[in-house]
């Protein structure tokens, strides 16, 4: 379904607008480990495609899918500061989801975009403290085929 992809693009633009300067935002992972704060969009899935009605003509289909938002923060010193920065990035992504929700017309058929779950992993490395965030964003909509 193109709906999930179109929402992914809208979410990418909203995240770019929401994060402060100094945070690299990319559509896909770049592999550039030189950045201290970066956010990118990961896996996209169409989890549930359910026919919504039986009728002549275009058939409505309820779509539920997910977009994973990944973030990495590397800071000198404290793992506490790295994890705090990861949660700050999570809040920016939540704000971006709210921005997309406030203008559902940006993607035809979109009904809702919201963070569903997140996980943060923190460690100390030779470069400093490292924190990785994975935020699962649920997308719901209805398309006509």
């Amino acid at each position: 379904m193109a709906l999930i992809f179109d929402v992914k693009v809208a979410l990418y633009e909203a995240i770019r607008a929401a994060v402060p300067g100094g945070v690299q935002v990319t559509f896909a992972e770049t592999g550039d480990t030189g950045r201290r704060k970066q956010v990118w969009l990961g896996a996209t899935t169409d989890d549930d495609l359910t026919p919504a009605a039986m009728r002549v003509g275009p058939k409505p289909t309820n779509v539920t899918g997910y977009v994973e938002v990944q973030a990495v923060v590397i800071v000198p010193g404290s793992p506490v500061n790295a994890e705090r920065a990861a949660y700050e990035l999570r809040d920016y992504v939540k704000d971006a989801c709210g921005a997309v929700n406030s203008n559902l017309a940006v993607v035809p058929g979109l009904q809702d975009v919201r963070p569903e779950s997140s996980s943060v992993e923190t460690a100390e490395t030779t470069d400093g403290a490292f924190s990785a965030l994975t935020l699962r964003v649920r997308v719901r909509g209805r398309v006509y085929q």
Side-chain angles (χ1 to χ4, degrees):
M1 290 288 153
L3 174 78
I4 304 299
F5 174 76
D6 292 342
V7 170
K8 187 176 184 179
V9 171
L11 186 59
Y12 166 71
E13 294 298 334
I15 292 169
R16 285 184 51 199
V19 299
V23 177
Q24 179 185 29
V25 179
T26 58
F27 193 77
E29 184 176 9
T30 63
D32 179 10
T33 58
R35 297 299 294 221
R36 295 296 180 188
K37 290 184 181 180
Q38 50 187 319
V39 176
W40 67 92
L41 300 173
T44 306
T45 57
D46 292 327
D47 192 48
D48 187 20
L49 305 172
T50 307
M54 300 290 285
R55 65 180 196 188
V56 176
K59 309 285 190 269
T61 301
N62 292 330
V63 177
T64 301
Y66 298 91
V67 176
E68 285 188 358
V69 179
Q70 307 284 328
V72 171
V73 176
I74 301 171
V75 298
S78 172
V80 172
N81 292 336
E83 192 159 330
R84 180 177 290 119
Y87 282 110
E88 289 171 359
L89 289 178
R90 182 195 66 181
D91 291 343
Y92 289 121
V93 174
K94 288 171 70 174
D95 292 344
C97 290
V100 173
N101 269 333
S102 69
N103 186 13
L104 294 176
V106 71
V107 178
L110 178 61
Q111 295 175 330
D112 186 46
V113 176
R114 72 183 60 231
E116 183 177 83
S117 64
S118 67
S119 64
V120 176
E121 182 179 331
T122 304
E124 289 188 78
T125 69
T126 56
D127 291 334
F130 168 94
S131 195
L133 165 73
T134 301
L135 180 64
R136 186 173 174 169
V137 176
R138 185 184 69 204
V139 177
R140 290 183 323 117
R142 179 176 280 184
V143 296
Y144 292 86
Q145 301 176 340

